Amino acid sequence: MRVTAIALAAGTLFCAVVQADLAVFGYLPTWNRDAAAKVDYSKYTHVALAFGVPKADGSLKFDGTSYLSSVVSQLHSTKTKALVSVGGWTDSNHFSTILKSPSARSTFLNALVNLVKDHGIDGIDIDWEYPGHEGNPGNAIDPQNDTKNLLALVKDLRAQFDSRFGKGSKLITLAGSTAPFWGPKGPLSDVKDFAGPVDFFNLMNYEINGSWQPTTGPNAPLYFETNKGSQASFDSSVRAWTKAGIPSKKLLGGLAFYGHGYKASVDMTSNPKNQYVAHTGDAVGDWTYVSLRRNGILSGPTTAAGDWVRYYDSTTRTPWVFNKKTKVYVTYDDTQSLKEKRDYSANNNLGGVMVWSIDQDYD
């Protein structure tokens, strides 16, 4: 894979020119589909509409059913693969119990196959957050069996896809965190059996630091800073998944088109080389890149506006902005940091990149 496989254009976060062997996979939330009306989908090789919601009995609710076929036709007109993603942070609560119930599991498997058949989509993305450990509070989990049950499901889904639609003609992708799927003792050291039935693993290399921790820190570091903030990163995620047996070509490194803002307890401009300071606990919301541009925080791709000052962390390879008057700190990604992740993906032979989410870009 050559570094020139993806190009970034001024004025937008991510404007891709894609070679045949490089995936650029974007998530498109159904609740904000209109915000992406001007997106040039030819820049994406794959787009997943998010999310289908698994119900307790294994049935599937998808709010985009009424327009799904037309969206699929639109994506196919630009030679973009169309998928539906099921689950997500809010709606992963039933995965564990569904896969332990023979009747619910059968209903769920059939629902996935029928969704593909009825709307001509190219595959299914399963975004279970997370097998073996709790994501959103209240999710059902079974550390002993969740990952084993997920593997059995994707094997059966692959068999159904291949028998009904032709071998390899439909896609199965899985979302993954910065560590491989969990077992009873934490992240598993061997998940290689997933590599057969699964086409891509979308690594969510973001939500790594945030207001839930005692200090400020980057949402999506390319590298972590030793002994500061969470000791996870884009790089450590790739290394963990490949060490656990997933070929690098099946990994898509996650790119965040958003960040987090919260109030620092000190003036961070006094020591801009340190991105980690105590904060007050007052979160000031998630900031999409488009909102940073439209609300007077950024005046250009890498330029802060007004009372805001932009810095670039040379260790984590991430930008951040700070307002000295309000002491608000915002961690996010821009064209500079995404270019570094793009180059990393190319130089480490990844299958490509994944974007959360398409609607958060600025044009």
Side-chain angles (χ1 to χ4, degrees):
M1 184 190 303
R2 295 195 295 271
V3 173
T4 54
I6 304 175
L8 292 170
T12 62
L13 270 187
F14 193 58
C15 185
V17 178
V18 187
Q19 290 182 343
D21 64 343
L22 181 69
V24 182
F25 189 113
Y27 284 95
L28 178 59
T30 56
W31 61 87
N32 210 25
R33 184 172 64 97
D34 291 344
K38 296 181 180 180
V39 169
D40 181 357
Y41 289 110
S42 68
K43 293 177 172 59
Y44 290 87
T45 58
H46 304 72
V47 169
L49 274 78
F51 291 100
V53 179
K55 310 306 286 185
D57 63 356
S59 60
L60 192 65
K61 177 185 177 183
F62 181 60
D63 289 339
T65 301
S66 62
Y67 55 76
L68 179 55
S69 294
S70 64
V71 172
V72 171
S73 296
Q74 178 188 3
L75 293 172
H76 285 172
S77 72
T78 61
K79 302 186 185 304
T80 302
K81 297 289 187 182
L83 298 88
V84 168
S85 181
V86 298
W89 176 258
T90 304
D91 293 301
S92 290
N93 47 325
H94 295 306
F95 276 118
S96 183
T97 53
I98 288 171
L99 298 192
K100 289 191 289 187
S101 164
S103 61
R105 184 185 187 278
S106 177
T107 298
F108 184 56
L109 183 62
N110 289 334
L112 297 177
V113 173
N114 289 334
L115 189 65
V116 170
K117 174 176 67 69
D118 293 344
H119 297 280
I121 63 177
D122 300 296
I124 293 292
D125 174 72
I126 299 176
D127 183 3
W128 180 353
E129 300 184 27
Y130 305 94
H133 70 115
E134 189 178 61
N136 199 27
N139 285 1
I141 59 170
D142 181 351
Q144 188 69 41
N145 295 300
D146 280 351
T147 295
K148 291 188 292 186
N149 289 342
L150 176 60
L151 177 60
L153 176 74
V154 295
K155 285 182 175 180
D156 287 351
L157 185 59
R158 170 55 62 207
Q160 289 276 346
F161 279 176
D162 287 353
S163 65
R164 291 180 179 231
F165 307 112
K167 186 174 178 61
S169 64
K170 298 298 181 182
L171 299 166
I172 299 174
T173 63
L174 298 180
S177 69
T178 54
F181 301 129
W182 280 42
K185 298 180 180 180
L188 294 169
S189 61
D190 184 355
V191 294
K192 66 177 180 296
D193 289 346
F194 281 92
V198 176
D199 294 284
F200 291 120
F201 297 78
N202 293 323
L203 304 188
M204 296 179 284
N205 300 328
Y206 37 76
E207 295 292 311
I208 291 174
N209 292 289
S211 60
W212 54 89
Q213 292 174 316
T215 67
T216 57
N219 176 49
L222 178 56
Y223 304 100
F224 62 76
E225 186 164 353
T226 303
N227 297 325
K228 290 187 176 182
S230 175
Q231 300 297 280
S233 67
F234 191 106
D235 169 69
S236 71
S237 174
V238 169
R239 292 178 183 275
W241 282 89
T242 54
K243 185 177 180 180
I246 303 302
S248 61
K249 274 289 191 180
K250 293 205 168 194
L251 300 179
L252 305 184
L255 307 179
F257 280 11
Y258 74 96
H260 298 296
Y262 38 109
K263 284 193 175 183
S265 61
V266 299
D267 177 7
M268 295 179 70
T269 65
S270 64
N271 184 14
K273 292 185 177 180
N274 179 30
Q275 196 181 171
Y276 305 87
V277 302
H279 61 77
T280 64
D282 298 319
V284 292
D286 295 336
W287 285 89
T288 64
Y289 183 74
V290 64
S291 66
L292 291 172
R293 293 292 300 271
R294 290 178 178 172
N295 287 282
I297 295 177
L298 296 178
S299 59
T302 58
T303 307
D307 294 325
W308 295 87
V309 182
R310 177 190 179 272
Y311 298 99
Y312 198 79
D313 188 318
S314 62
T315 300
T316 64
R317 311 298 217 281
T318 55
W320 54 281
V321 290
F322 188 76
N323 187 310
K324 190 171 182 177
K325 291 182 178 179
T326 63
K327 292 186 180 178
V328 170
Y329 158 92
V330 179
T331 168
Y332 66 103
D333 270 276
D334 63 12
T335 53
Q336 183 178 358
S337 61
L338 292 180
K339 179 181 183 298
E340 295 218 42
K341 289 169 183 169
R342 175 204 74 182
D343 292 349
Y344 178 101
S345 299
N347 293 335
N348 287 275
N349 204 35
L350 302 194
V353 293
M354 172 271 284
V355 170
W356 181 270
S357 60
I358 292 173
D359 57 300
Q360 297 173 337
D361 200 357
Y362 176 81
D363 55 21

